[in-house]
Amino acid sequence: MHPGRQLAVLGLVFVVLYLLVFFAAGAEGSARDRLHPKLGLDLIGGTQVTYQASLLTNGQVPPRQNMEQARDIMESRVNALGVSEAEVVIEGDRNIVVSVAGKEADELKNIGQAAQMRFRKVLKATVDVAAAAANPPAASAAPSGSAKPSAGTTKAPNISGTSKPSTAPSTAASGGQGGGEQAPNPSASAPAPTATAAAPSASALPTPSASAAPVPGTAIPTRADVEKKVGPEAWAAASKLTDVPDLSQNPQAAVPLAKFGTLTGLEVNALTPEMQYNVPTISCKQLQDRPNGAIDDEHAKATACDKSGRKMYMDVAKVIGTDIASASPQYDQQQGQWVVSLDFKTDGQKKWADLTREAYNKTANDGCENAAGALGGDGQHCHVAVVLDKTVISAPEIQGVLTGQSQITGNFDAKSARQLADQIQYGALPVTFTAGQAMTVSPTLGTAQLKAGLLAAAIGMALVAIYAFFYYRLLGTVIFLSLILSGVLTYGALVFLGRATGFTLTLAGIAGFIVSLGVAADSFVIYFERLKDEIHEGRSPRSAVPRAWVRARRTIISANTITIMAAVVLYIVSIGAVKGFAAALGLATIIDLMVVFLFRHPIMTMFANTKAFLSPRVSGLGKVLPARTKSDEAPRTSRAKEA
């Protein structure tokens, strides 16, 4: 063999790993900062958020079964971020407490979202004009078009997918899959400019005056409560509206409706979807402040806004989140952006095809062409809104009948695409939650236990090294160097995985690394004892090395494979700290197996060609070589006497 080749491969692995540690995405700060692993909640503390479940409509707390299901979904969402060993526990009847390591709460902000996805045909759309409606120009001023929805230049997020040809002819049609229908454009994106009016800030809205009638002391305001608060004149004016008033022609049209701008999100939720859309003084902020689950009813029409500040009145939901089989983040090379890819179930795919066919083959009674001005379409086909909880995340004009895999596109990065995919993938929460303030929690063990764990690892390695030098001498050097190399590679992998996948080092993980020292020592014992057996059988030390490797290799691979399989099974069936122990044990065992092939055997081959290896006192083969030498000399002496 050529040991230099294996050592070169190992050197390349080492260089690549530490280049990733120092220069891969997420590596920031000084060299020391970049070498710092991600530590767990028990060692450095972290962030804790309490999610409180909303009461049911009958005023009762959610069933325990629903709370358990919600806890499992939240834990799955956290674990999808990486091996973070988060603590997700039910506290009392209504609270779920989620704790993760670190001082930032970013990883927790989406864990408790309902993730109710609905696909709704957009019937009407307008730019949010609440700010302009609350501050109309003087009555004597000439009408201004400043409040009129206008098209912007920002491209809206969209959804696209594989489409079959449609029966409706289209001059813009190009290509398609299937047969019997004229092919439409297979993309459902809306390339035309879209409205981009920003949602008004809270300061731009009218604030409740001291004389405003307070909502009666009920936990959930009713429509009658809201009518009393805004007054009979404002309520009557709102009830007569059939669409959003054109403020460019009549800026004073919103004046009688000003008190609707004083409503809270809970009070706005008591209004009909039609009134929520038609009243211009109801802003996107008020709609977003509605309670979670406000528009989850798939059999009811709904009003919601997208992040660009466009208000939409939408049809009943004909495709829902449970119709989706899987969701995954992908980087679309053609579009140069992150997307969320959707695969529908069999029934869901049919519903999705029917919905896109209905939107594409628009009828005269749809009226959905009214949305084209605000959403940037050409008015030839309807738009379909993808609604997540209370927010429209995409509203493309459908330009084909989509029958295959579809993609949600928008202003996603890798992290936000992953979060959305995980929310869809792991399902909607059966209970609606409200997130409390994020709190910093102190470590349950702390740095003292971390130092104790590292000290235990150092003592374990030192004992193995002392025993190896005492028993194997020169061969003990191979053991010591292998352990050092395994430790350096394991540490680099730990730092990189913590940054790339969220792998978190806890005290249980340190225990896994300590146990792996015994696995590594077993590999040495198997190899070196096999080497002694070969010498006992009459082979020279140099010829015994390759033969001992061949015979020990299978045993080493089998032993390490069993350890890795045990770690995988333990990782799958366990939770929390035990999962971290299994991950650390499996990682260390894999690295040890790599060191066996790329370092231990090549270095032994090189040692076998040295004079020191043939010396019984230096090589550690002292009891084997003299016995073999005496057995070789006895036949030579008898042959000399006979001569």
Side-chain angles (χ1 to χ4, degrees), residues 1-10 597-607 609:
M1 64 170 296
H2 301 281
R5 296 178 181 176
Q6 282 87 345
L7 294 175
V9 172
L10 182 62
F597 280 85
L598 298 181
F599 179 77
R600 192 177 309 166
H601 177 46
I603 207 72
M604 282 295 296
T605 303
M606 296 175 68
F607 276 173
N609 293 319

PDB file of all heavy atoms in Angstrom, residues 1-10 597-607 609:
ATOM      1  N   MET A   1       0.838  -1.195   0.000  1.00  0.00           N
ATOM      2  CA  MET A   1       0.000   0.000   0.000  1.00  0.00           C
ATOM      3  C   MET A   1       0.875   1.248   0.000  1.00  0.00           C
ATOM      4  O   MET A   1       2.082   1.192   0.218  1.00  0.00           O
ATOM      5  CB  MET A   1      -0.918   0.018   1.233  1.00  0.00           C
ATOM      6  CG  MET A   1      -0.180   0.118   2.563  1.00  0.00           C
ATOM      7  SD  MET A   1      -1.270   0.419   3.948  1.00  0.00           S
ATOM      8  CE  MET A   1      -1.929   2.031   3.544  1.00  0.00           C
ATOM      9  N   HIS A   2       0.240   2.387  -0.240  1.00  0.00           N
ATOM     10  CA  HIS A   2       0.933   3.677  -0.232  1.00  0.00           C
ATOM     11  C   HIS A   2       0.345   4.514   0.893  1.00  0.00           C
ATOM     12  O   HIS A   2      -0.654   5.226   0.696  1.00  0.00           O
ATOM     13  CB  HIS A   2       0.762   4.376  -1.575  1.00  0.00           C
ATOM     14  CG  HIS A   2       1.294   3.584  -2.729  1.00  0.00           C
ATOM     15  ND1 HIS A   2       2.636   3.524  -3.038  1.00  0.00           N
ATOM     16  CD2 HIS A   2       0.654   2.799  -3.634  1.00  0.00           C
ATOM     17  CE1 HIS A   2       2.809   2.757  -4.102  1.00  0.00           C
ATOM     18  NE2 HIS A   2       1.615   2.300  -4.471  1.00  0.00           N
ATOM     19  N   PRO A   3       0.919   4.438   2.085  1.00  0.00           N
ATOM     20  CA  PRO A   3       0.326   5.141   3.242  1.00  0.00           C
ATOM     21  C   PRO A   3       0.245   6.637   3.052  1.00  0.00           C
ATOM     22  O   PRO A   3      -0.611   7.297   3.652  1.00  0.00           O
ATOM     23  CB  PRO A   3       1.265   4.770   4.392  1.00  0.00           C
ATOM     24  CG  PRO A   3       2.552   4.363   3.747  1.00  0.00           C
ATOM     25  CD  PRO A   3       2.168   3.731   2.448  1.00  0.00           C
ATOM     26  N   GLY A   4       1.126   7.212   2.221  1.00  0.00           N
ATOM     27  CA  GLY A   4       1.083   8.649   2.011  1.00  0.00           C
ATOM     28  C   GLY A   4      -0.229   9.120   1.415  1.00  0.00           C
ATOM     29  O   GLY A   4      -0.676  10.244   1.686  1.00  0.00           O
ATOM     30  N   ARG A   5      -0.872   8.276   0.624  1.00  0.00           N
ATOM     31  CA  ARG A   5      -2.134   8.676  -0.007  1.00  0.00           C
ATOM     32  C   ARG A   5      -3.249   8.813   1.032  1.00  0.00           C
ATOM     33  O   ARG A   5      -4.008   9.785   1.021  1.00  0.00           O
ATOM     34  CB  ARG A   5      -2.533   7.647  -1.070  1.00  0.00           C
ATOM     35  CG  ARG A   5      -1.557   7.571  -2.232  1.00  0.00           C
ATOM     36  CD  ARG A   5      -1.987   6.504  -3.221  1.00  0.00           C
ATOM     37  NE  ARG A   5      -1.029   6.405  -4.336  1.00  0.00           N
ATOM     38  CZ  ARG A   5      -1.107   5.502  -5.302  1.00  0.00           C
ATOM     39  NH1 ARG A   5      -2.097   4.612  -5.301  1.00  0.00           N
ATOM     40  NH2 ARG A   5      -0.202   5.481  -6.262  1.00  0.00           N
ATOM     41  N   GLN A   6      -3.337   7.818   1.930  1.00  0.00           N
ATOM     42  CA  GLN A   6      -4.360   7.894   2.972  1.00  0.00           C
ATOM     43  C   GLN A   6      -4.136   9.094   3.892  1.00  0.00           C
ATOM     44  O   GLN A   6      -5.085   9.786   4.270  1.00  0.00           O
ATOM     45  CB  GLN A   6      -4.365   6.605   3.811  1.00  0.00           C
ATOM     46  CG  GLN A   6      -5.059   5.437   3.126  1.00  0.00           C
ATOM     47  CD  GLN A   6      -4.113   4.662   2.224  1.00  0.00           C
ATOM     48  OE1 GLN A   6      -3.026   5.152   1.893  1.00  0.00           O
ATOM     49  NE2 GLN A   6      -4.521   3.471   1.833  1.00  0.00           N
ATOM     50  N   LEU A   7      -2.883   9.334   4.241  1.00  0.00           N
ATOM     51  CA  LEU A   7      -2.589  10.480   5.102  1.00  0.00           C
ATOM     52  C   LEU A   7      -2.900  11.801   4.397  1.00  0.00           C
ATOM     53  O   LEU A   7      -3.339  12.768   5.028  1.00  0.00           O
ATOM     54  CB  LEU A   7      -1.127  10.438   5.539  1.00  0.00           C
ATOM     55  CG  LEU A   7      -0.739   9.261   6.449  1.00  0.00           C
ATOM     56  CD1 LEU A   7       0.762   9.266   6.717  1.00  0.00           C
ATOM     57  CD2 LEU A   7      -1.511   9.317   7.758  1.00  0.00           C
ATOM     58  N   ALA A   8      -2.689  11.838   3.077  1.00  0.00           N
ATOM     59  CA  ALA A   8      -3.007  13.048   2.310  1.00  0.00           C
ATOM     60  C   ALA A   8      -4.512  13.298   2.293  1.00  0.00           C
ATOM     61  O   ALA A   8      -4.974  14.446   2.419  1.00  0.00           O
ATOM     62  CB  ALA A   8      -2.463  12.925   0.890  1.00  0.00           C
ATOM     63  N   VAL A   9      -5.284  12.203   2.153  1.00  0.00           N
ATOM     64  CA  VAL A   9      -6.744  12.347   2.182  1.00  0.00           C
ATOM     65  C   VAL A   9      -7.202  12.855   3.548  1.00  0.00           C
ATOM     66  O   VAL A   9      -8.060  13.751   3.647  1.00  0.00           O
ATOM     67  CB  VAL A   9      -7.426  11.001   1.849  1.00  0.00           C
ATOM     68  CG1 VAL A   9      -8.940  11.096   2.082  1.00  0.00           C
ATOM     69  CG2 VAL A   9      -7.134  10.606   0.410  1.00  0.00           C
ATOM     70  N   LEU A  10      -6.615  12.317   4.605  1.00  0.00           N
ATOM     71  CA  LEU A  10      -6.965  12.774   5.950  1.00  0.00           C
ATOM     72  C   LEU A  10      -6.602  14.245   6.140  1.00  0.00           C
ATOM     73  O   LEU A  10      -7.364  15.020   6.733  1.00  0.00           O
ATOM     74  CB  LEU A  10      -6.248  11.915   6.990  1.00  0.00           C
ATOM     75  CG  LEU A  10      -6.548  12.250   8.452  1.00  0.00           C
ATOM     76  CD1 LEU A  10      -8.022  12.038   8.752  1.00  0.00           C
ATOM     77  CD2 LEU A  10      -5.692  11.410   9.384  1.00  0.00           C
ATOM     78  N   PHE A 597      -8.987   4.133   9.293  1.00  0.00           N
ATOM     79  CA  PHE A 597      -8.608   3.817   7.917  1.00  0.00           C
ATOM     80  C   PHE A 597      -7.599   4.807   7.339  1.00  0.00           C
ATOM     81  O   PHE A 597      -6.738   4.421   6.554  1.00  0.00           O
ATOM     82  CB  PHE A 597      -9.859   3.779   7.028  1.00  0.00           C
ATOM     83  CG  PHE A 597     -10.626   2.498   7.134  1.00  0.00           C
ATOM     84  CD1 PHE A 597     -11.559   2.307   8.139  1.00  0.00           C
ATOM     85  CD2 PHE A 597     -10.408   1.461   6.243  1.00  0.00           C
ATOM     86  CE1 PHE A 597     -12.266   1.125   8.250  1.00  0.00           C
ATOM     87  CE2 PHE A 597     -11.107   0.276   6.342  1.00  0.00           C
ATOM     88  CZ  PHE A 597     -12.035   0.096   7.346  1.00  0.00           C
ATOM     89  N   LEU A 598      -7.716   6.074   7.715  1.00  0.00           N
ATOM     90  CA  LEU A 598      -6.882   7.089   7.079  1.00  0.00           C
ATOM     91  C   LEU A 598      -5.647   7.473   7.886  1.00  0.00           C
ATOM     92  O   LEU A 598      -4.780   8.176   7.371  1.00  0.00           O
ATOM     93  CB  LEU A 598      -7.717   8.349   6.811  1.00  0.00           C
ATOM     94  CG  LEU A 598      -8.896   8.176   5.856  1.00  0.00           C
ATOM     95  CD1 LEU A 598      -9.627   9.508   5.671  1.00  0.00           C
ATOM     96  CD2 LEU A 598      -8.455   7.626   4.507  1.00  0.00           C
ATOM     97  N   PHE A 599      -5.561   7.020   9.133  1.00  0.00           N
ATOM     98  CA  PHE A 599      -4.385   7.360   9.933  1.00  0.00           C
ATOM     99  C   PHE A 599      -3.752   6.132  10.589  1.00  0.00           C
ATOM    100  O   PHE A 599      -2.554   5.885  10.440  1.00  0.00           O
ATOM    101  CB  PHE A 599      -4.754   8.381  11.012  1.00  0.00           C
ATOM    102  CG  PHE A 599      -3.591   8.751  11.898  1.00  0.00           C
ATOM    103  CD1 PHE A 599      -2.611   9.625  11.451  1.00  0.00           C
ATOM    104  CD2 PHE A 599      -3.462   8.219  13.173  1.00  0.00           C
ATOM    105  CE1 PHE A 599      -1.528   9.952  12.258  1.00  0.00           C
ATOM    106  CE2 PHE A 599      -2.390   8.541  13.986  1.00  0.00           C
ATOM    107  CZ  PHE A 599      -1.419   9.411  13.522  1.00  0.00           C
ATOM    108  N   ARG A 600      -4.523   5.360  11.329  1.00  0.00           N
ATOM    109  CA  ARG A 600      -3.948   4.295  12.138  1.00  0.00           C
ATOM    110  C   ARG A 600      -3.243   3.234  11.299  1.00  0.00           C
ATOM    111  O   ARG A 600      -2.089   2.878  11.562  1.00  0.00           O
ATOM    112  CB  ARG A 600      -5.042   3.657  12.988  1.00  0.00           C
ATOM    113  CG  ARG A 600      -4.521   2.745  14.076  1.00  0.00           C
ATOM    114  CD  ARG A 600      -5.673   2.235  14.898  1.00  0.00           C
ATOM    115  NE  ARG A 600      -6.530   3.336  15.348  1.00  0.00           N
ATOM    116  CZ  ARG A 600      -7.749   3.159  15.847  1.00  0.00           C
ATOM    117  NH1 ARG A 600      -8.240   1.948  15.950  1.00  0.00           N
ATOM    118  NH2 ARG A 600      -8.447   4.198  16.238  1.00  0.00           N
ATOM    119  N   HIS A 601      -3.924   2.723  10.291  1.00  0.00           N
ATOM    120  CA  HIS A 601      -3.300   1.693   9.459  1.00  0.00           C
ATOM    121  C   HIS A 601      -2.133   2.238   8.634  1.00  0.00           C
ATOM    122  O   HIS A 601      -1.053   1.617   8.597  1.00  0.00           O
ATOM    123  CB  HIS A 601      -4.348   1.059   8.548  1.00  0.00           C
ATOM    124  CG  HIS A 601      -3.780   0.033   7.620  1.00  0.00           C
ATOM    125  ND1 HIS A 601      -2.900  -0.945   8.028  1.00  0.00           N
ATOM    126  CD2 HIS A 601      -3.954  -0.168   6.278  1.00  0.00           C
ATOM    127  CE1 HIS A 601      -2.555  -1.706   7.001  1.00  0.00           C
ATOM    128  NE2 HIS A 601      -3.184  -1.247   5.931  1.00  0.00           N
ATOM    129  N   PRO A 602      -2.240   3.417   7.984  1.00  0.00           N
ATOM    130  CA  PRO A 602      -1.085   3.952   7.250  1.00  0.00           C
ATOM    131  C   PRO A 602       0.118   4.211   8.146  1.00  0.00           C
ATOM    132  O   PRO A 602       1.255   3.918   7.776  1.00  0.00           O
ATOM    133  CB  PRO A 602      -1.619   5.255   6.642  1.00  0.00           C
ATOM    134  CG  PRO A 602      -3.085   5.061   6.569  1.00  0.00           C
ATOM    135  CD  PRO A 602      -3.452   4.227   7.738  1.00  0.00           C
ATOM    136  N   ILE A 603      -0.112   4.746   9.360  1.00  0.00           N
ATOM    137  CA  ILE A 603       1.018   5.055  10.234  1.00  0.00           C
ATOM    138  C   ILE A 603       1.670   3.774  10.746  1.00  0.00           C
ATOM    139  O   ILE A 603       2.891   3.708  10.948  1.00  0.00           O
ATOM    140  CB  ILE A 603       0.572   5.970  11.401  1.00  0.00           C
ATOM    141  CG1 ILE A 603       1.758   6.816  11.891  1.00  0.00           C
ATOM    142  CG2 ILE A 603      -0.009   5.181  12.537  1.00  0.00           C
ATOM    143  CD1 ILE A 603       2.158   7.898  10.944  1.00  0.00           C
ATOM    144  N   MET A 604       0.878   2.717  10.949  1.00  0.00           N
ATOM    145  CA  MET A 604       1.445   1.431  11.343  1.00  0.00           C
ATOM    146  C   MET A 604       2.302   0.851  10.228  1.00  0.00           C
ATOM    147  O   MET A 604       3.353   0.240  10.474  1.00  0.00           O
ATOM    148  CB  MET A 604       0.325   0.466  11.712  1.00  0.00           C
ATOM    149  CG  MET A 604      -0.270   0.703  13.091  1.00  0.00           C
ATOM    150  SD  MET A 604       0.913   0.397  14.419  1.00  0.00           S
ATOM    151  CE  MET A 604       1.202  -1.355  14.181  1.00  0.00           C
ATOM    152  N   THR A 605       1.872   1.013   8.998  1.00  0.00           N
ATOM    153  CA  THR A 605       2.667   0.539   7.868  1.00  0.00           C
ATOM    154  C   THR A 605       4.006   1.259   7.798  1.00  0.00           C
ATOM    155  O   THR A 605       5.046   0.655   7.519  1.00  0.00           O
ATOM    156  CB  THR A 605       1.886   0.757   6.557  1.00  0.00           C
ATOM    157  OG1 THR A 605       0.630   0.089   6.645  1.00  0.00           O
ATOM    158  CG2 THR A 605       2.653   0.209   5.368  1.00  0.00           C
ATOM    159  N   MET A 606       4.002   2.541   8.082  1.00  0.00           N
ATOM    160  CA  MET A 606       5.248   3.305   8.087  1.00  0.00           C
ATOM    161  C   MET A 606       6.142   2.891   9.258  1.00  0.00           C
ATOM    162  O   MET A 606       7.353   2.752   9.104  1.00  0.00           O
ATOM    163  CB  MET A 606       4.942   4.805   8.150  1.00  0.00           C
ATOM    164  CG  MET A 606       4.189   5.327   6.932  1.00  0.00           C
ATOM    165  SD  MET A 606       3.693   7.059   7.074  1.00  0.00           S
ATOM    166  CE  MET A 606       5.294   7.859   7.026  1.00  0.00           C
ATOM    167  N   PHE A 607       5.564   2.650  10.441  1.00  0.00           N
ATOM    168  CA  PHE A 607       6.349   2.204  11.593  1.00  0.00           C
ATOM    169  C   PHE A 607       6.979   0.840  11.350  1.00  0.00           C
ATOM    170  O   PHE A 607       8.070   0.544  11.836  1.00  0.00           O
ATOM    171  CB  PHE A 607       5.460   2.142  12.844  1.00  0.00           C
ATOM    172  CG  PHE A 607       5.306   3.462  13.537  1.00  0.00           C
ATOM    173  CD1 PHE A 607       4.423   3.616  14.601  1.00  0.00           C
ATOM    174  CD2 PHE A 607       6.049   4.566  13.159  1.00  0.00           C
ATOM    175  CE1 PHE A 607       4.277   4.831  15.246  1.00  0.00           C
ATOM    176  CE2 PHE A 607       5.913   5.783  13.794  1.00  0.00           C
ATOM    177  CZ  PHE A 607       5.025   5.920  14.842  1.00  0.00           C
ATOM    178  N   ASN A 609       8.382  -0.288   8.904  1.00  0.00           N
ATOM    179  CA  ASN A 609       9.605  -0.191   8.106  1.00  0.00           C
ATOM    180  C   ASN A 609      10.739   0.502   8.853  1.00  0.00           C
ATOM    181  O   ASN A 609      11.751   0.846   8.254  1.00  0.00           O
ATOM    182  CB  ASN A 609       9.316   0.567   6.800  1.00  0.00           C
ATOM    183  CG  ASN A 609       8.383  -0.211   5.896  1.00  0.00           C
ATOM    184  OD1 ASN A 609       8.507  -1.427   5.768  1.00  0.00           O
ATOM    185  ND2 ASN A 609       7.447   0.487   5.265  1.00  0.00           N
TER     186      ASN A 609
END
